[in-house]
Amino acid sequence: MMNYNRGDIVLVNFNSQKKSEEVAKVRQAIIVSDSELNDILDLVSVVALTTNLINDAEPLRIRISKRENLHKDSDAMIEQLRSVSKSRIVQKVGVVSKGEMQKIEYGIKKMLNL
């Protein structure tokens, strides 16, 4: 079984019954849950990515530049924070930088008023 670490960029199958405001299809996402908990639980928490970029939208959109198997610049959509079954993860495609992860953490804290 694959290890899922905080900061991994993974390809996730989000297809399911959904409401219009929820993301769908197979798309990249960033794992934001704790790496140690990811080893124990069958779920991981992720923030979905989109290639529909919105400039100057921090803290709810964090720009992730293309790298490894992330072929286009993308925005992490902080408002699309979800827990998904590990069985929905297709593959790992990269890792975010420490600075990008700090911006994502800040956005989640702002969204959840922590």
Side-chain angles (χ1 to χ4, degrees):
M1 178 181 262
M2 183 178 223
N3 287 339
Y4 300 104
N5 295 306
R6 183 176 177 85
D8 285 350
I9 303 170
V10 292
L11 193 60
V12 178
N13 181 354
F14 284 105
N15 287 323
S16 65
Q17 292 183 337
K18 70 174 201 79
K19 303 287 185 187
S20 61
E21 62 277 2
E22 295 175 341
V23 296
K25 72 182 183 180
V26 177
R27 65 171 67 230
Q28 287 88 5
I30 299 167
I31 295 177
V32 296
S33 49
D34 181 76
S35 296
E36 289 183 24
L37 288 177
N38 295 341
D39 288 341
I40 299 167
L41 301 174
D42 292 328
L43 297 170
V44 294
S45 296
V46 299
V47 170
L49 296 177
T50 182
T51 55
N52 294 326
L53 306 179
I54 300 176
N55 292 325
D56 302 317
E58 285 188 24
L60 290 180
R61 292 282 184 111
I62 308 301
R63 185 66 40 88
I64 308 297
S65 53
K66 64 182 180 178
R67 71 201 63 199
E68 295 139 354
N69 289 316
L70 182 66
H71 300 294
K72 294 182 178 181
D73 288 352
S74 301
D75 278 354
M77 299 180 288
I78 304 303
E79 76 280 4
Q80 292 293 335
L81 173 64
R82 295 180 56 179
S83 292
V84 297
S85 169
K86 291 177 187 175
S87 66
R88 290 185 172 274
I89 298 176
V90 178
Q91 69 184 43
K92 180 177 171 180
V93 297
V95 179
V96 297
S97 71
K98 184 177 180 179
E100 290 166 333
M101 195 68 219
Q102 288 173 335
K103 289 179 180 181
I104 291 166
E105 290 167 354
Y106 177 76
I108 292 170
K109 287 177 184 176
K110 290 297 282 184
M111 184 183 79
L112 298 178
N113 196 27
L114 297 176

